[in-house]
């Protein structure tokens, strides 16, 4: 059985030949393996992050899980073609960082964003940073250099290129968001000060997501990834139920009808979300099911209560186990996770959200080796 077949069967709550293993390393470790400054990948697309990830899959030999290739479906291209286009420009550099701002030409008026993006030599970028926080002037720059990516993919070309490059080594998904409050404190203030405006914005986003999903499933990706990091922290259950659950229901129903697995990602406390997704939607798979103190998911309990409805992916701790633990500790925790959730299928051994850049390679190999050798159906 290939890695792609194995992962798709498990995503659909079936029983493959063995437990798929896919540590969450969609960013830092693949960038590190290129040997290049991280800004080459994030700013210049050299190589695209998806290519760096697939190279990491081959380097370690796990079951590839590329959670979201950025694509523009026809709807996006149509709605944006008559609009002025923002450009990203480098406005300041140091040996360790590159600072960029967005700018646009509107009716002869050159406008600049009041925030910046910061790209690091050995870390992922930080987006939408206040200029004052990093000591940049609020005035428009007098000189700048527009960013020119070294690779470029239009429309769905990035998905097709990534899917071809991945081959049978794993699955490649397309990502979509959900309506809701943002992670900034101002979002919560707005919810209580002007809830109707929030509802109106979320309804418009809901309609956009549904339109995009109907386009995406026609592409037949391996799966559709939904959600954002930390979503349930800023959108506790009552808010999620009102603003996001209707979208989750409709989108997962579209995916089910099209035969495309749907996956929901939400780091942090997630138990209530698992319950809603399993009992009230057509979602196929959910991750990363983080343990305390980062999350609130006990894998055995989640499997016992909802494993008949939804497949699971998780949940080794990315810091105490993967980053700071020994290979023996990683193997032990991998066996515990398999014992807790592998019965009957519908389980992918993974980690909490995002293995750190300096995670020992021996620990990653220990996780993969355990999945390959400890248990087979």
């Amino acid at each position: 059985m290939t890695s792609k077949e194995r992962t798709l069967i498990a995503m659909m709550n079936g029983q493959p030949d063995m437990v798929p293993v896919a540590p969450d390393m969609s960013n830092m470790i693949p960038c590190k393996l290129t040997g290049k400054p991280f800004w080459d990948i994030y700013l210049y697309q050299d190589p695209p992050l998806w290519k760096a990830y697939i190279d990491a899959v081959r380097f370690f030999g796990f079951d590839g899980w590329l959670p979201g290739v950025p694509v523009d479906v026809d709807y996006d291209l149509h709605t944006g073609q008559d609009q002025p286009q923002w450009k990203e420009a480098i406005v300041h550099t140091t040996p360790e960082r590159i600072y960029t701002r967005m700018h646009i030409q509107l009716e002869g008026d050159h406008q600049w964003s009041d925030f910046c993006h910061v790209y690091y030599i050995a870390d992922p970028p930080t987006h939408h940073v206040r200029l004052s926080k990093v000591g940049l002037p609020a005035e428009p720059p007098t000189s700048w250099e527009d960013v020119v990516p070294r690779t470029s993919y239009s429309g769905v070309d990035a998905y097709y290129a990534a899917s071809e490059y991945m081959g049978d080594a794993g699955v490649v998904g397309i990502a979509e968001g959900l309506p809701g409050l943002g992670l900034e404190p101002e979002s919560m203030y707005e919810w209580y000060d002007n809830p109707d405006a929030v509802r109106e914005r979320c309804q418009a986003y809901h309609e956009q997501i549904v339109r995009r999903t109907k386009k995406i499933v026609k592409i037949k990706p391996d799966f559709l990834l939904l959600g954002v990091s930390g979503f349930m922290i800023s959108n506790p259950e009552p808010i999620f139920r009102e603003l996001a659950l209707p979208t989750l229901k409709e989108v997962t129903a579209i995916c089910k009808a099209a035969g495309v697995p749907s996956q929901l990602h939400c780091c942090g406390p997630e138990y209530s979300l698992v319950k809603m997704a399993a009992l009230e939607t057509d979602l196929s798979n959910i991750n990363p099911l983080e343990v305390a103190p980062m999350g609130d998911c006990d894998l055995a309990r989640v499997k016992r209560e909802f494993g008949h409805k939804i497949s699971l992916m998780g949940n080794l701790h990315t810091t105490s186990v993967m980053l700071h633990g020994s290979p023996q500790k990683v193997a032990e925790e991998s066996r515990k996770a398999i014992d807790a959730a592998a019965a009957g299928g519908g389980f992918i051994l993974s980690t909490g959200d995002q293995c750190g850049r300096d995670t020992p390679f021996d620990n990653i190999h220990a996780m993969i080796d355990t999945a390959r050798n400890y248990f087979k159906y």
Side-chain angles (χ1 to χ4, degrees):
M1 188 172 287
T2 67
S3 287
K4 181 174 183 175
E5 292 169 338
R6 181 180 301 124
T7 304
L8 286 174
I9 290 171
M11 271 191 171
M12 297 300 288
N13 221 11
Q15 182 173 288
D17 59 338
M18 64 180 71
V19 173
V21 54
D24 186 347
M25 58 166 73
S26 58
N27 282 266
M28 290 176 276
I29 293 174
C31 290
K32 181 179 180 179
L33 283 171
T34 68
K36 295 185 174 186
F38 279 33
W39 57 57
D40 273 15
I41 292 88
Y42 290 105
L43 183 60
Y44 293 109
Q45 307 295 312
D46 182 24
L49 182 57
W50 58 260
K51 185 177 185 298
Y53 172 81
I54 297 171
D55 287 340
V57 170
R58 294 196 172 96
F59 177 84
F60 288 107
F62 60 87
D63 301 303
W65 166 69
L66 184 55
V69 176
V71 302
D72 294 315
V73 294
D74 293 346
Y75 172 75
D76 300 317
L77 297 174
H78 175 73
T79 56
Q81 63 186 2
D82 298 326
Q83 302 299 319
Q85 299 298 307
W86 286 89
K87 295 181 179 180
E88 187 171 13
I90 298 171
V91 297
H92 183 64
T93 63
T94 73
E96 300 291 327
R97 300 180 182 184
I98 295 177
Y99 300 83
T100 70
R101 288 177 69 178
M102 306 300 294
H103 65 108
I104 193 171
Q105 195 80 19
L106 288 174
E107 299 178 353
D109 182 22
H110 200 178
Q111 298 182 13
W112 287 85
S113 63
D114 56 2
F115 58 84
C116 70
H117 306 309
V118 186
Y119 295 87
Y120 306 92
I121 194 169
D123 282 300
T126 305
H127 293 296
H128 300 285
V129 181
R130 297 179 188 273
L131 298 172
S132 59
K133 188 173 182 179
V134 294
L136 291 181
E139 296 77 19
T142 56
S143 63
W144 64 89
E145 175 191 345
D146 283 338
V147 175
V148 180
R150 296 167 191 156
T151 59
S152 178
Y153 296 89
S154 62
V156 298
D157 289 348
Y159 172 76
Y160 291 132
S163 184
E164 181 179 2
Y165 194 62
M166 179 74 85
D168 288 331
V171 295
V172 179
I174 296 177
E176 186 55 88
L178 287 173
L181 308 183
L183 297 176
E184 304 80 12
E186 291 79 7
S187 298
M188 186 63 72
Y189 300 152
E190 184 185 18
W191 172 244
Y192 287 99
D193 293 340
N194 195 0
D196 288 341
V198 175
R199 292 186 179 102
E200 182 177 351
R201 184 172 63 250
C202 287
Q203 179 60 32
Y205 190 27
H206 165 89
E207 294 168 3
Q208 175 185 329
I209 292 168
V210 170
R211 285 194 295 265
R212 272 182 51 87
T213 300
K214 290 178 179 178
K215 292 280 189 179
I216 289 170
V217 296
K218 291 180 180 179
I219 300 169
K220 290 292 183 180
D222 293 332
F223 66 102
L224 176 71
L225 178 76
L226 294 161
V228 294
S229 295
F231 200 77
M232 291 302 287
I233 296 173
S234 56
N235 294 263
E237 184 173 348
I239 295 176
F240 182 91
R241 279 193 167 279
E242 179 173 354
L243 301 182
L245 186 58
T247 308
L248 185 62
K249 287 182 176 180
E250 187 163 353
V251 166
T252 56
I254 293 170
C255 288
K256 182 179 180 180
V260 174
S262 54
Q263 184 178 68
L264 181 59
H265 171 87
C266 176
C267 50
E270 193 181 1
Y271 175 82
S272 62
L273 181 57
V274 177
K275 183 176 181 179
M276 281 185 282
L279 302 183
E280 302 180 49
T281 80
D282 291 303
L283 186 72
S284 307
N285 177 271
I286 192 164
N287 75 53
L289 308 174
E290 290 183 314
V291 300
M294 299 160 71
D296 62 352
C297 289
D298 176 273
L299 192 55
R301 178 190 179 191
V302 171
K303 176 72 173 185
R304 183 174 62 252
E305 295 180 356
F306 310 116
H308 62 294
K309 289 280 191 178
I310 193 170
S311 69
L312 310 174
M313 182 173 179
N315 65 347
L316 275 62
H317 203 287
T318 51
T319 51
S320 65
V321 175
M322 297 302 298
L323 180 62
H324 297 303
S326 65
Q328 293 75 23
K329 178 67 172 177
V330 172
E332 177 187 349
E333 293 300 320
S334 297
R335 290 192 294 268
K336 286 181 180 178
I338 291 170
D339 288 343
F347 176 61
I348 301 170
L349 178 64
S350 187
T351 60
D353 189 64
Q354 201 54 230
C355 289
R357 179 195 63 198
D358 299 323
T359 300
F361 287 4
D362 284 348
N363 286 358
I364 297 170
H365 285 299
M367 179 182 178
I368 298 166
D369 291 344
T370 304
R372 295 288 189 244
N373 300 308
Y374 174 64
F375 177 89
K376 294 184 179 179
Y377 294 103

